[in-house]
């Protein structure tokens, strides 16, 4: 149940170019570095870790002032599948400020996100000799940086009473945002005016970026008996919401219009401890999943009473996070306080053990887990060990291929033998990682938040297939 950021005062970055509290953006510095193996090598005194820029198609860091425990990526109208740099993203994030009265929700736009231009589909024309002869030219083209300069951050802030434990935007109407506060209130906001202003503006930081506007929420619900962290919008029923608290109660919100809700005062109760995360089914509009400090996962049907339809003993420790695969709806991922994460095939629940994969790579609590919106077998995980890992569950160990690789690379790298073959990528450099999200419209892009700000990353070894062209 690791949640709070450690000493946000110390974690707050200094912005040399702006006023206190304003956001800033910069590229992560990259210097040549020898291979370092997480969990195997130790840093000697005076040594520092530097990222290898060739491992990323894009990597940028930025912050919006105070650290953020939670954020969400907003759907936009810039294109359903975007592969060309420079990119633009819209997000909302909630702060964890040193004083309760200093908190806000940041609505921001990050544009001019540059990266390496690469072909998603290899060019099959020409024979190998021709390709080799112009390899230097083609490599230069592939590695060419698309976009110039640093990303441009435009930020607007709305006052939020208390720290924001978790924040989520409605899938169908991304200007409608729900926030869970440490005051014990769940609030729903309409940020359409802020998003419209950001969309129309091309300047760097918006005028008065340090200013925090006062805006009344559409709804402020105080029916929970304690603060909470679990909240999720239905992907199938616009406006349907569930919120769960630390007193093991889950409340259902049913929309009565575009801006009003009927909130059931009679909660769903089935866990014996704090409800940590909630996820609606991607295919069943009345079904959602929950996870808890009691180590279990519950599957609920809102049509059938206030108790879970199924309860799964999922982990030996607190279950911090869950993610329901929207491309393979039988798959549910869960991450625990003991550093393990598991994948379950819900079709196997009746047969007993539904676990199809279980990983013990991370040694500290799992803080976030999310399936890729573009690849059904790919999942991203963040942990308190300051690592963000990306996994492809379709991969299996090929001993012959491994032996060949080791023979070629034995003088260059001594890879640990116990790394799971499904581990695609390890991202480091952020302190106290809290939450990650894939961008649903930019294949391969992951955004993460930590005590020292945000990272946007696109690993170079993750290639996403584009939708089939009808032509």
């Amino acid at each position: 149940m690791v949640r709070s950021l450690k000493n946000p005062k110390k974690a707050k970055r200094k912005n040399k170019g702006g006023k206190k509290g304003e956001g800033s953006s910069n590229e992560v510095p990259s210097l040549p570095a020898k291979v370092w193996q997480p969990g195997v090598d130790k840093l000697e005194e005076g040594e520092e870790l530097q990222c290898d820029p060739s491992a990323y198609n894009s990597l940028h860091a930025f912050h919006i002032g105070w650290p953020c425990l939670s954020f969400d990526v907003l759907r936009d109208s810039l294109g359903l599948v975007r592969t060309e740099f420079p990119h633009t993203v819209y997000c909302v994030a909630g702060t964890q400020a040193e004083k309760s009265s200093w908190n806000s929700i940041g609505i921001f736009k990050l544009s001019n996100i540059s990266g390496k231009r690469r072909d998603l589909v290899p060019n099959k024309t020409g024979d190998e000799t021709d390709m080799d002869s112009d390899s230097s030219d083609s490599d230069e083209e592939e590695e060419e940086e698309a976009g110039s300069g640093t990303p441009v951050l435009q930020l607007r802030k709305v006052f939020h009473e208390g720290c924001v434990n978790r924040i989520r935007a409605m899938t169908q109407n991304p200007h409608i945002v729900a926030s869970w506060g440490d005051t014990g209130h769940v609030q729903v906001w309409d940020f359409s005016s802020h998003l419209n202003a950001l969309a129309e503006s091309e300047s760097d930081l918006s005028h008065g970026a340090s200013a925090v506007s006062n805006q009344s929420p559409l709804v402020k619900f105080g029916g929970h008996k304690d603060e909470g962290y679990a909240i999720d919008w239905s992907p199938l029923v616009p406006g349907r919401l569930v919120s769960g608290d630390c007193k093991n109660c889950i409340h259902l919100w049913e929309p009565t219009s575009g801006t009003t809700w009927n909130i059931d005062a009679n909660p769903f109760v089935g866990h014996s401890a704090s409800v940590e995360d909630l996820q609606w089914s991607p295919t069943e509009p009345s079904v959602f999943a929950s996870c808890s400090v009691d180590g279990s996962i519950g599957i609920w049907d809102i049509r059938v009473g206030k108790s879970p339809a199924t309860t799964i003993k999922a982990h030996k420790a607190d279950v911090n996070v869950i993610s329901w695969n929207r491309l393979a709806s039988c798959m549910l991922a869960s991450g625990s306080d003991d550093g393990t994460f598991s994948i379950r095939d819900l079709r196997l629940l009746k047969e007993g053990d539904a676990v199809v994969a279980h990983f013990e790579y991370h040694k500290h609590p799992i803080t976030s887990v999310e399936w890729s919106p573009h690849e059904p077998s790919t999942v991203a995980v963040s942990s308190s060990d300051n690592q963000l890992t990306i996994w492809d569950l379709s991969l299996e160990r090929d001993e012959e291929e491994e032996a060949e690789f080791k023979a070629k690379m034995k003088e260059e790298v001594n890879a640990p033998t116990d790394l799971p073959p499904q581990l695609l990528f390890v991202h480091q450099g952020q302190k106290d990682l809290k939450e990650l999200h894939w961008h649903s419209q930019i294949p391969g892009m992951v955004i993460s938040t930590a005590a020292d700000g945000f990272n946007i990353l696109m690993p170079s070894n993750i290639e996403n297939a584009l939708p089939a062209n009808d032509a």
Side-chain angles (χ1 to χ4, degrees), residues 115-119 123 134-146:
K116 298 169 188 171
R117 183 179 287 115
R118 296 172 185 263
D119 291 331
N123 186 355
D134 352 288
S135 60
S136 59
D137 294 336
S138 61
D139 286 349
E140 285 176 11
E141 280 183 20
E142 284 188 355
E143 297 296 328
E144 180 186 352
E145 194 80 8

Side-chain angles (χ1 to χ4, degrees), residues 1 3 70 166-168 180 228-233 242-246 249-250 271 273-280 288-293 296-298 300 319-324 332-335 366-370 435 437:
M1 194 172 72
R3 303 177 183 126
S70 181
R166 195 157 289 173
I167 191 164
R168 292 290 182 264
W180 235 131
Y229 293 80
I231 195 165
D232 194 38
W233 293 100
V242 278
S243 55
D245 60 37
C246 295
C249 292
I250 301 169
H271 291 292
S274 172
V275 178
E276 298 291 276
D277 202 4
L278 290 162
Q279 285 272 285
W280 283 101
F288 68 87
S290 63
C291 66
S292 171
V293 166
S296 72
I297 291 173
W300 311 69
V319 188
N320 295 332
V321 285
I322 51 176
S323 179
W324 209 318
L332 186 73
S334 59
I366 302 299
T367 58
S368 190
V369 60
E370 188 169 286
E435 194 169 274
H437 294 295

Side-chain angles (χ1 to χ4, degrees), residues 54-245:
S54 67
Y56 299 86
N57 284 349
S58 183
L59 178 60
H60 299 279
F62 66 98
H63 67 92
I64 64 169
W66 293 108
C68 297
L69 182 65
S70 181
F71 75 103
D72 206 3
V73 181
L74 305 183
R75 284 182 175 270
D76 56 51
S77 57
L78 300 177
L80 291 177
V81 181
R82 309 202 292 271
T83 59
E84 293 297 319
F85 290 105
H87 286 302
T88 296
V89 301
Y90 290 84
C91 296
V92 288
T95 65
Q96 295 271 308
E98 182 184 354
K99 292 185 178 180
S100 181
S101 60
W102 292 353
N103 280 293
S104 64
I105 294 175
I107 306 103
F108 62 90
K109 169 187 176 183
L110 195 69
S111 54
N112 197 41
I113 301 170
S114 60
K116 298 169 188 171
R117 183 179 287 115
R118 296 172 185 263
D119 291 331
L120 284 185
V121 181
N123 186 355
K124 295 181 180 178
T125 59
D127 56 38
E128 290 184 4
T129 309
D130 291 341
M131 290 174 72
D132 288 341
S133 64
D134 352 288
S135 60
S136 59
D137 294 336
S138 61
D139 286 349
E140 285 176 11
E141 280 183 20
E142 284 188 355
E143 297 296 328
E144 180 186 352
E145 194 80 8
S148 59
T150 57
V152 177
L153 176 67
Q154 296 162 256
L155 172 67
R156 297 172 73 92
K157 299 178 183 178
V158 172
F159 171 74
H160 187 276
E161 183 183 356
C163 294
V164 178
N165 290 343
R166 195 157 289 173
I167 191 164
R168 292 290 182 264
M170 190 192 303
T171 305
Q172 301 87 349
N173 299 301
H175 60 280
I176 303 296
V177 174
S179 64
W180 235 131
D182 66 358
T183 58
H185 295 100
V186 179
Q187 300 178 81
V188 177
W189 309 80
D190 183 348
F191 291 144
S192 54
S193 62
H194 301 285
L195 290 168
N196 290 337
L198 290 174
E200 294 169 4
S201 173
E202 296 297 333
S203 61
D204 193 335
L205 285 168
S206 306
H207 292 296
S210 59
V212 180
S213 64
N214 279 302
Q215 176 178 331
S216 297
L218 297 173
V219 182
K220 183 178 181 180
F221 177 59
H224 282 284
K225 297 178 181 178
D226 196 359
E227 67 175 309
Y229 293 80
I231 195 165
D232 194 38
W233 293 100
S234 168
L236 301 176
V237 181
R240 180 174 283 176
L241 181 74
V242 278
S243 55
D245 60 37

Side-chain angles (χ1 to χ4, degrees), residues 445-462:
M445 176 180 283
V446 177
I447 306 174
S448 56
T449 185
D452 53 357
F454 291 85
N455 274 188
I456 290 185
L457 56 138
M458 298 181 72
S460 60
N461 69 332
I462 296 180

